[in-house]
Amino acid sequence: MRRFAFVAVLLLAVSTPSGTVRAAELDARITRQLHTNAARYGIAGQAVLIRHNGTLLAQAVAGEADLTTHQPVTPETVFNTYSLAKLLVSALVMQRVEAGRVELDAPASRYLPDLPEAWQTITVRQFLNHASGVPEYFQYREGEVITSQGSLFPTTAAEVFKALAGAPLQFTPGTANRYTQTNYLVLTALLEAQYQQPYAQIVQDRVLRPLSMTHTSLGPATDVPHDITIAYIGKQGALRREDDIAWPSYAYGHAALHTTVGDLDRFLLALTRGELVGRATLQQLWQPQLLGNGRRSGFSTGWEFEESGEYRFVGHDGGTRVRARIAFTDGLAGDTYSFIYLTNGSAKNVWSRTLVDSTMAVVAPMQFPREALSERLITYALEPKTAARTTALKQWLITNGRGDQPMLEQDINRVGYAVAENLGHAAALPLFAFNATLFPRSANAWDSLAEMYAALGDVKQAKRLYARSKALAAAR
């Protein structure tokens, strides 16, 4: 069994609607949650930092940066943060919008005239929100990069755009979201055209140096002058080393960002204080955005966007390894939390959303009931099943005001599928059975339960439950 070293720093007491949580109590909760996550998902190393209204609530590190040398993670350990790099691009574009130098709803070709013909009418906002329809410029298969020009990246971004000129759009711009790195190649090139400087220099001058982010860099991990984590991926339930892609410099707007939990905290704190982009501008830009088909976009000016209760969430992930999130009400001058969760990989390849949700459940369960529910359900799925535990879960739902909420069935279903993906179908089965017990007239609840049995190879039970689901659907 790997031993995990924990360091936690808690400042002040935390005021919540349900009372004041003392620092020592929150310290114990956060430490327990990191232990829990490490044990559940096989996390190699992790670093967490949480703020509320600018006040540091918790900072904790756990595990190992390098499983071979057993180098522990410290608050100064550098992590590869992958697509969190896109948040820097978004902030820099928002600065240009605020300065009146870029219009979000103007075609990006106004600033980059040499974009492919089919891209000429795509707006800056559509590129930011992955609503452009442009194709991906590479594929990653079995540890190898495949581009239209073979296994080597083109020399320049202009060559990438030229190579994609004949490829059809994936959809009409503005009508859907499809996440591609190509979107941020365009935005990186736009910033370079605006400043007439290499992108790395723009970031250094306008973000890293002003915020004293001295442990942050763009480029290969081999160039990082500080202690850095080794990246791991889960293969057949075990951790295996995974070397990063040798990204060209034009890709630094979507990858190759190496930073610490403290430096990333400086970036988020500067944003929430209005130091990089004015709060009024952020309030205007971090709004729900609709696609052309009337559906809500999953992004808002490049940030993942969702709503949970009274809060709006903006943030981004780096796949299964890292995530940053800001939760706020009434604009950034209201109640505001920031959450940073960095890992260097897990045996289960747990999605970073699940990890951040678990810290939200610890720090502010009353403010974030959906996330508290998720953590409680995951705990139930993994503990020994007894009638008493099931009764306790039902009572917990009633006590926390969830027993009769119409979204409960959907929420349990959502968590069930997350557990199935991260921990296996056998672990998820009790959640779907519990949902069917709570909602016996729901065709969807029985259909999902049948799906779990089918995945586990119990064809007879799956067939019986599918039939029940169809009968309920037909009776509506």
Side-chain angles (χ1 to χ4, degrees):
M1 179 182 294
R2 184 180 303 116
R3 292 182 178 180
F4 292 89
F6 287 81
V7 177
V9 179
L10 281 298
L11 300 180
L12 304 179
V14 185
S15 295
T16 70
S18 58
T20 298
V21 179
R22 291 189 175 277
E25 183 181 346
L26 184 55
D27 185 357
R29 290 183 188 178
I30 290 290
T31 300
R32 277 198 303 271
Q33 192 62 48
L34 290 176
H35 274 291
T36 296
N37 290 345
R40 277 180 185 167
Y41 308 116
I43 300 172
Q46 50 190 327
V48 172
L49 194 149
I50 304 167
R51 285 190 184 272
H52 180 222
N53 293 335
T55 298
L56 181 64
L57 296 187
Q59 182 174 354
V61 298
E64 297 176 341
D66 186 328
L67 300 181
T68 301
T69 65
H70 302 295
Q71 177 185 346
V73 174
T74 73
E76 288 73 42
T77 298
V78 174
F79 287 78
N80 188 341
T81 56
Y82 306 96
S83 283
L84 293 190
K86 295 181 176 71
L87 298 184
L88 301 185
V89 170
S90 173
L92 290 165
V93 171
M94 287 193 288
Q95 285 183 346
R96 301 308 282 168
V97 171
E98 189 171 49
R101 301 302 298 271
V102 168
E103 294 182 24
L104 284 178
D105 293 315
S109 59
R110 175 186 295 181
Y111 314 104
L112 293 170
D114 294 332
L115 288 176
E117 181 63 30
W119 304 8
Q120 288 289 310
T121 61
I122 301 173
T123 67
V124 175
R125 190 190 303 272
Q126 288 165 350
F127 281 113
L128 274 168
N129 290 340
H130 300 281
S132 67
V134 299
E136 187 58 278
Y137 77 100
F138 73 96
Q139 296 180 6
Y140 188 62
R141 294 199 301 265
E142 298 180 356
E144 185 179 7
V145 170
I146 307 297
T147 75
S148 60
Q149 299 182 8
S151 60
L152 296 177
F153 284 107
T155 305
T156 66
E159 291 178 22
V160 174
F161 301 149
K162 183 177 180 180
L164 294 176
L169 294 177
Q170 299 174 93
F171 51 83
T172 302
T175 63
N177 290 126
R178 184 160 181 178
Y179 189 92
T180 70
Q181 314 304 326
T182 312
N183 288 301
Y184 278 71
L185 289 194
V186 172
L187 296 167
T188 303
L190 184 154
L191 288 166
E192 291 184 332
Q194 287 272 300
Y195 287 104
Q196 292 297 297
Q197 287 181 312
Y199 175 72
Q201 189 62 51
I202 299 168
V203 172
Q204 183 67 36
D205 292 345
R206 302 193 64 82
V207 180
L208 305 188
R209 188 179 299 114
L211 300 183
S212 298
M213 295 172 65
T214 56
H215 284 65
T216 301
S217 60
L218 301 174
T222 53
D223 293 348
V224 176
H226 307 286
D227 290 338
I228 187 170
T229 58
I230 302 299
Y232 298 95
I233 191 171
K235 294 279 184 71
Q236 297 179 329
L239 288 164
R240 297 286 182 267
R241 178 167 176 161
E242 183 181 60
D243 293 326
D244 195 23
I245 296 170
W247 295 106
S249 60
Y250 58 76
Y252 292 172
H254 71 75
L257 174 67
H258 297 91
T259 190
T260 64
V261 68
D263 272 11
L264 190 53
D265 173 56
R266 290 184 180 91
F267 173 70
L268 295 187
L269 188 59
L271 272 174
T272 57
R273 287 175 171 171
E275 295 172 4
L276 286 174
V277 182
R279 280 181 168 177
T281 301
L282 287 174
Q283 176 69 9
Q284 178 185 3
L285 297 180
W286 280 345
Q287 295 287 337
Q289 299 188 24
L290 295 179
L291 298 168
N293 58 8
R295 298 181 62 182
R296 179 176 287 192
S297 173
F299 296 89
S300 184
T301 322
W303 294 64
E304 294 176 359
F305 182 92
E306 59 183 310
E307 294 174 299
S308 180
E310 298 178 354
Y311 289 84
R312 289 181 175 178
F313 296 168
V314 293
H316 213 287
D317 66 60
T320 60
R321 293 189 177 101
V322 299
R323 183 175 290 267
R325 177 183 288 167
I326 297 170
F328 61 95
T329 62
D330 302 322
L332 293 168
D335 195 41
T336 304
Y337 287 84
S338 61
F339 299 86
I340 300 168
Y341 206 128
L342 307 182
T343 81
N344 56 340
S346 65
K348 299 292 188 179
N349 297 317
V350 59
W351 202 249
S352 56
R353 171 187 295 277
T354 300
L355 300 178
V356 170
D357 285 355
S358 76
T359 63
M360 299 176 81
V362 169
V363 169
M366 299 299 291
Q367 289 90 330
F368 305 115
R370 186 181 69 179
E371 289 67 34
L373 172 66
S374 295
E375 183 59 26
R376 184 66 184 82
L377 291 173
I378 293 170
T379 300
Y380 172 79
L382 296 177
E383 63 190 8
K385 297 299 161 297
T386 65
R389 290 187 184 277
T390 300
T391 299
L393 177 56
K394 290 180 180 178
Q395 186 58 49
W396 184 90
L397 292 171
I398 294 170
T399 302
N400 287 273
R402 297 301 304 266
D404 58 352
Q405 288 196 1
M407 293 295 292
L408 179 60
E409 179 194 348
Q410 181 179 325
D411 283 341
I412 296 174
N413 222 43
R414 171 182 56 80
V415 177
Y417 281 109
V419 170
E421 179 181 0
N422 293 320
L423 299 171
H425 295 93
L429 185 64
L431 287 182
F432 290 105
F434 179 71
N435 211 19
T437 301
L438 287 182
F439 301 98
R441 304 302 300 170
S442 168
N444 185 64
W446 292 105
D447 182 82
S448 296
L449 181 58
E451 185 180 338
M452 290 301 108
Y453 276 108
L456 291 168
D458 191 336
V459 178
K460 183 178 180 180
Q461 181 73 320
K463 184 177 180 181
R464 184 181 70 82
L465 294 174
Y466 276 131
R468 183 169 186 172
S469 173
K470 289 179 180 178
L472 286 169
R476 284 186 174 180

